[in-house]
Amino acid sequence: MPTYALLLALLFPAFVHAQDSEGESDLSYKAYVHSGKRIKCLYGYAADKTGDHAAAVAIFEDCIRRWNDVYSMIWLAQLYETGIGVTKDLQQATALMRRGAHTNDDAAYARLARYHYGVALAEGRGTPQDIPQAKTWLRQAAQEGVREATDYLNRLDNAAP
């Protein structure tokens, strides 16, 4: 078993679950596309990483719609930013990060969204450049423990005229 497949099997044991007569596991990520269980949001990542981008997008969009899931916002934003599985759309990617930045979650994904939204504002990626707002979001992420936000703030401050 290749290393990547072994890692997926360890992280998502459902992938190695016994298959039915049609070759589909009742616990595979595909079974989660239409699931009402919130764990499906994690399976969106697995779907994306195994190349089933359509399933990943469907899972992420449903998780965002049902639960305002910031984890799904971040991963879907990454797909829009890179154009993998969807048409590249920096405005949509930044809008998802903005939405995530305005959300509080128990799993701390909102602080990552704040960092990424701050970077988008600083670079003018998918939104007009706004350094003061970028610094506000980056400071908040830094105060919440996102080390990359502190590093980015330092680079902004050192680049200032």
Side-chain angles (χ1 to χ4, degrees):
M1 179 179 277
T3 305
Y4 186 69
L6 179 60
L7 179 61
L8 280 177
L10 292 172
L11 291 174
F12 299 97
F15 286 128
V16 295
H17 186 269
Q19 294 181 340
D20 65 18
S21 60
E22 296 176 20
E24 287 289 326
S25 167
D26 62 342
L27 295 176
S28 74
Y29 65 81
K30 289 181 182 190
Y32 282 90
V33 171
H34 301 291
S35 171
K37 298 175 183 175
R38 190 160 184 177
I39 193 166
K40 78 189 267 174
C41 305
L42 298 175
Y43 282 84
Y45 171 83
D48 178 52
K49 293 305 174 193
T50 58
D52 192 345
H53 306 297
V57 169
I59 289 170
F60 292 144
E61 287 177 344
D62 190 48
C63 289
I64 293 166
R65 183 183 54 78
R66 287 181 195 235
W67 302 291
N68 207 33
D69 186 75
V70 181
Y71 172 87
S72 297
M73 290 176 205
I74 291 170
W75 281 107
L76 186 56
Q78 181 183 7
L79 294 177
Y80 278 113
E81 188 171 315
T82 60
I84 296 174
V86 294
T87 301
K88 186 174 182 172
D89 187 340
L90 295 179
Q91 290 178 328
Q92 179 66 12
T94 300
L96 285 163
M97 286 301 171
R98 181 180 188 278
R99 183 174 173 182
H102 283 92
T103 305
N104 291 316
D105 69 340
D106 294 333
Y109 291 111
R111 68 180 72 161
L112 292 175
R114 287 189 263 283
Y115 162 69
H116 288 290
Y117 182 53
V119 170
L121 286 165
E123 297 177 1
R125 193 178 26 178
T127 188
Q129 186 178 43
D130 187 338
I131 299 297
Q133 274 296 324
K135 287 183 176 183
T136 297
W137 286 105
L138 290 165
R139 266 191 231 100
Q140 185 174 350
Q143 289 169 352
E144 294 171 325
V146 180
R147 189 180 68 191
E148 293 87 351
T150 302
D151 296 343
Y152 201 94
L153 275 169
N154 290 334
R155 285 196 306 271
L156 282 177
D157 289 340
N158 291 333

